[in-house]
Amino acid sequence: MIELKNVTKEFDGKIAVDNISLKINKGEILGFLGPNGAGKTTTMRVITGFLVPDKGEVLIEGENMYNNPVKYKSLIGYMPENNPLYKDMLVKDSLNFIMDLHKIEKSKRKEKLDEVVKSTGIQSVYYKPISELSKGYKQRVGIAQVLIQDPEILILDEPTEGLDPNQRVEIRDLIKRMGKERTVIISTHVMQEVEV
């Protein structure tokens, strides 16, 4: 599904990712483990197409993603570490906004919303402003926004960062369920997260 071949990325002469190669198959969950500054986020951004590698290739379904970036970016759902949410919006409005951005047909919206709201467990906060949500629910809303487009590849940067132990378990369980149908990449600097 995804293959990195000898990928290197530099910033102002400083190597952030050094000649990394890996292969991830559909239905696998890959965890990037390392301290801050290890290159986890940079590698994820290269895979999503936000950054272009200085050397090497990113292959999706065997093809260099930069030969057809629009096609391959449409297969990817990405939640960055800072989980950018419009905090003054209601959860329901933010999900509808994301569906507008992805041009999801009106006839399919209710079914998609029902599925995503249920799978992420955000029913109880669906009509609340995002600003009033706990960190755990904000993470769930971020994941729901990523899932609404039904991506084949899911990339989550530090999805359990700052959550309490119960919230971590809930997000881990959600990631495990999503990994049955998708290729999932997560990053963390906590060994227990990757092991689970």
Side-chain angles (χ1 to χ4, degrees):
M1 183 92 210
I2 302 170
E3 186 173 2
L4 273 61
K5 289 185 172 180
N6 307 107
V7 169
T8 297
K9 183 65 185 171
E10 297 182 24
F11 297 101
D12 296 325
K14 183 175 180 179
I15 297 173
V17 175
D18 190 10
N19 197 36
I20 186 172
S21 295
L22 58 89
K23 192 171 187 175
I24 313 157
N25 296 311
K26 186 172 184 168
E28 288 186 338
I29 300 173
L30 173 75
F32 284 136
L33 174 66
N36 292 334
K40 301 181 303 291
T41 296
T42 300
T43 302
M44 293 176 131
R45 289 181 179 163
V46 166
I47 294 170
T48 63
F50 285 160
L51 295 175
V52 177
D54 297 312
K55 296 177 189 167
E57 292 182 293
V58 178
L59 306 176
I60 297 181
E61 297 179 335
E63 185 179 336
N64 188 319
M65 78 174 295
Y66 298 101
N67 292 342
N68 194 345
V70 173
K71 173 185 174 184
Y72 292 110
K73 286 180 183 181
S74 71
L75 301 176
I76 299 171
Y78 174 53
M79 186 178 84
E81 182 180 1
N82 60 2
N83 191 7
L85 299 170
Y86 292 107
K87 294 185 174 72
D88 56 339
M89 293 180 94
L90 300 179
V91 171
K92 76 175 190 72
D93 294 336
S94 73
L95 294 175
N96 278 292
F97 174 65
I98 297 299
M99 287 192 291
D100 288 343
L101 291 177
H102 288 286
K103 298 181 170 82
I104 294 173
E105 296 174 31
K106 300 271 186 210
S107 62
K108 296 181 179 178
R109 288 186 174 209
K110 182 175 180 347
E111 181 183 340
K112 280 221 178 269
L113 274 174
D114 289 347
E115 178 186 325
V116 167
V117 168
K118 183 179 178 186
S119 69
T120 55
I122 57 173
Q123 301 93 320
S124 64
V125 298
Y126 187 67
Y127 295 102
K128 290 189 175 184
I130 291 172
S131 62
E132 294 179 9
L133 304 183
S134 68
K135 172 92 174 173
Y137 274 113
K138 286 178 183 170
Q139 291 295 84
R140 288 174 188 232
V141 170
I143 293 171
Q145 288 183 346
V146 171
L147 289 176
I148 207 86
Q149 73 186 56
D150 199 23
E152 292 182 33
I153 301 165
L154 194 57
I155 300 176
L156 307 172
D157 196 355
E158 303 272 0
T160 60
E161 182 64 26
L163 301 183
D164 68 37
N166 291 334
Q167 293 169 330
R168 282 180 187 262
V169 169
E170 291 168 357
I171 297 295
R172 278 189 219 132
D173 289 344
L174 176 58
I175 291 167
K176 284 181 197 174
R177 287 195 309 272
M178 292 184 298
K180 292 177 182 173
E181 305 164 0
R182 298 172 172 84
T183 302
V184 180
I185 302 171
I186 65 166
S187 70
T188 183
H189 55 266
V190 180
M191 176 65 99
Q192 294 84 354
E193 294 298 310
V194 174
E195 287 175 341
V196 172

